[in-house]
Amino acid sequence: MRKSKLTRKQKEHIAAYLFILPSFLGIAVFYIVPYIICFTKSLYVGDTFVGIENYIQLFQNNTFLLALKNTGIFTVTAIPLLMVISFLLALFLNSFNKISSFFRSALLIPVVVPIASLICVWQLVFDDYGAINGLLNSLGFNTVEFFNSEWSMVMIVFIYVWKYCGFCVILFTAGIANVSQSLYESARLDGAKAHQLVTKITIPMIAPTTFFVFLMELIYSFKIFREVFALFGDYPNTNVYFLQNFINNNYYNLNYPRLSAASIVLSLFIIIVLFIFFCFERKHSYS
Amino acid sequence: MEWIVPKGGVEMKKSVVSLFLLVSIVIMNFVGCIESENFGDVKNRMTYYTSNDSDDFCNLIKIYNNYCLQNYDKSYQIAVQKFASEDEINTKLSTELMAGKGPDIISINQKLPFEKLLNNGTFLDVNKLCDNNTQADKIDFNNFNSAIMKCGIYNGKRYIVPLFYGTDVFVSTQEKLKKFNISCDNHTVLTYKNLSEKFSSFSNEKANFGFISGYNDTNSMFNYPIQLFNQFINNYVDFENKVTYFESDDFKSKLDTMCRLLNASKEDFPDFIFDDLYINRSLSLMVRKYAYYKSENETPVICRGLVKSDNDYSAFVQVGFGINSNTHFEKQAYAFLKFALSEDVQTKMCGAKGISYSANISFPVNKKAFEQAKYSASKQADDDGKIIGIDNDFMKAYIDIADNVNACTLYRDVSHSYYNDNVIGDIVDDYINKGISKEKFIRQLSAATEIYLTE
């Protein structure tokens, strides 16, 4: 019998590559190749190569800038707000010795309830004749047009925070629970106050969890388009017109050069934010 | 790693075989995605997607396909692929166009944002296609109605080719109009401005009369009152320069009149002041209509409108198409274009020669075919063989309107267009049926339209 000339190390490498091949193929076919095609299309109009002209036009387009501004406002407002609220709630819950499984499940309900059902409820709540306006009117205030005013953004931020808060609380609770109690005890012996325990021990020690929560929330913040779309349709009012609306509408308008350029810009935006946070996390993580 | 690469190598071989099978399954699935639809020799012909294969454009394709068998060969034929719905077509179309493919022929009756498509290179420049053609008898666009053909031109490039058109007119009788003291004759122009004044004495509650039929045609699903309302809205949008005029006092003041008109047509009244808008409008059929009214001892009246100003002679394209810029069948596309614009086909399709192919087509864009249609209409006779002809005020007014068109829109069924349905459809519906305030309506309308125009 002929003996294989491959070394054990080489065999291991081949096996490893073969194992990752299906995943790699999937990623290549569904992500890498489309991304390259998308980038290529962003440099063309029809069959004509135009270089970065599509990008220049994109940044001269007022609707794109509006979408970029709204997406920026939403990301900058909603994510920190959600993280702060969920962190505070997690701290509060952590003060209890035991959290019942019912309570844990209840926190996750908003994430698992189907969007269509949620939208029906939000429409009832935020409609001109809905619950909130009914309450406001009974208190003598004017009707607030949540679906057609600057309040639309507030409404979307509120929905986002409500929906993902429970999920983040659970992540933060798990992170906080993993911080060694001996650190707190030592700090207390040294005379540290409650707020110092949080700022000097808890926050630095849960940096990996915070990073993970941020990453998840960034992803979820781009998924909020589903709610916006279901509530406002393809053409929402100018306060909640997001980058995803711009991309989605340009798909239906068959404007592929602009769509591709906008998608590349959006992906770069996410990559840059993640890169900055990665650097930040590496620098400040105690773990 | 021991379990992966054991010393004996038997398990290693098994793992490799399993992996190979897995990879094969994945690849086979992808291949399946590409070749899941087998349409025979469709790949060697031009294609056209539709959800209604009995409309006028499909009828034209059927005639052309038969013509190809006699004059060319099968490779010149157009394969019509039927889909269950417009949405299904749009999804497929979007994906295919993005991949550099798609149907070769795109009809303007499809629900697509043509204002946008004209701007982003989806369509082939037909002028270029004609220039590239080496045949001796080239298409001369001077032989067609320039006012109509102009609506398919954008930035000097001819992207859409209109084939047939209709004019914005209302048909009624003096007897009906007199009931409400409405003074209209064959030279009257109904504008958004004078509509309120002209119909001030019209009250549908009293007479059980609607303004216009609210009846939905089973084929086209036309809702005439909504059509008029959408036409009115579109008159205040400059699609080319991307400007809206909804905040103007002019729009605000006329909006109330249009709402009144809508309300006067909403209910199911037994009779209407004006006939259905978009059917029976070819010259031959209009002659018969004139004869019918006369036989009923009524005097038919035709009014131009609704238009923005007295000088507007507005029209809409009934049948038209564009050629996908990704097409590999330029020679075949040119042959179809030439066929569709030919005098013979244009004359037949509008019912001026032989058996009428469609009752929905009014006028051909071919000037000679138009003259033929006039000649044919002038020879129309009643059941007793007596010539009715076109030598009467009613028909003269109608021909004059068709002859002098100076503004044309791409959409016959405005309510079905991408802008009016997908962009502002819900807003209009909220205003008409859910009673949102006028200010809120204008605000929402402006915001959605401005985003649509500029995005």
Side-chain angles (χ1 to χ4, degrees), chain B residues 61-251:
Chain B
I61 289 175
K62 279 173 204 161
I63 302 163
Y64 172 71
N65 283 346
N66 286 333
Y67 172 82
C68 285
L69 292 176
Q70 291 155 13
N71 295 277
Y72 301 110
D73 58 63
K74 275 191 171 180
S75 69
Y76 276 75
Q77 287 184 324
I78 299 170
V80 176
Q81 290 182 25
K82 199 184 172 189
F83 289 80
S85 67
E86 283 284 341
D87 287 340
E88 206 180 305
I89 295 178
N90 289 354
T91 309
K92 191 168 167 68
L93 202 80
S94 306
T95 317
E96 288 191 347
L97 287 176
M98 194 178 244
K101 293 174 186 170
D104 302 275
I105 306 286
I106 300 169
S107 160
I108 57 155
N109 292 333
Q110 284 168 332
K111 198 174 164 186
L112 291 167
F114 286 99
E115 300 89 18
K116 297 276 179 181
L117 303 193
L118 292 177
N119 195 18
N120 64 20
T122 305
F123 294 112
L124 193 75
D125 179 9
V126 170
N127 285 336
K128 214 171 159 186
L129 181 80
C130 295
D131 291 343
N132 291 344
N133 196 278
T134 50
Q135 286 181 22
D137 50 342
K138 278 188 176 179
I139 297 169
D140 181 2
F141 284 99
N142 291 320
N143 294 333
F144 308 100
N145 187 323
S146 58
I148 306 295
M149 300 307 275
K150 203 176 145 190
C151 74
I153 298 174
Y154 184 84
N155 276 347
K157 291 176 179 172
R158 193 182 300 276
Y159 292 120
I160 302 282
V161 182
L163 299 176
F164 302 96
Y165 69 99
T167 51
D168 290 320
V169 290
F170 287 106
V171 176
S172 185
T173 63
Q174 285 294 4
E175 289 70 23
K176 277 185 192 174
L177 295 168
K178 269 178 193 164
K179 273 189 188 176
F180 303 98
N181 293 324
I182 300 166
S183 61
C184 273
D185 58 27
N186 290 321
H187 305 287
T188 302
V189 185
L190 289 177
T191 64
Y192 298 116
K193 199 177 172 185
N194 70 16
L195 191 68
S196 179
E197 175 199 327
K198 285 251 178 225
F199 291 83
S200 57
S201 54
F202 171 65
S203 165
N204 52 310
E205 288 91 8
K206 281 181 202 165
N208 223 7
F209 256 64
F211 177 83
I212 196 161
S213 161
Y215 163 75
N216 286 336
D217 184 276
T218 45
N219 285 326
S220 341
M221 296 300 286
F222 289 142
N223 183 326
Y224 300 117
I226 296 288
Q227 290 277 88
L228 291 175
F229 192 77
N230 277 316
Q231 274 178 7
F232 163 71
I233 288 175
N234 291 9
N235 264 294
Y236 288 84
V237 184
D238 182 347
F239 288 103
E240 208 167 328
N241 296 313
K242 298 172 182 175
V243 187
T244 63
Y245 302 99
F246 298 132
E247 300 288 347
S248 67
D249 291 337
D250 186 38
F251 178 79

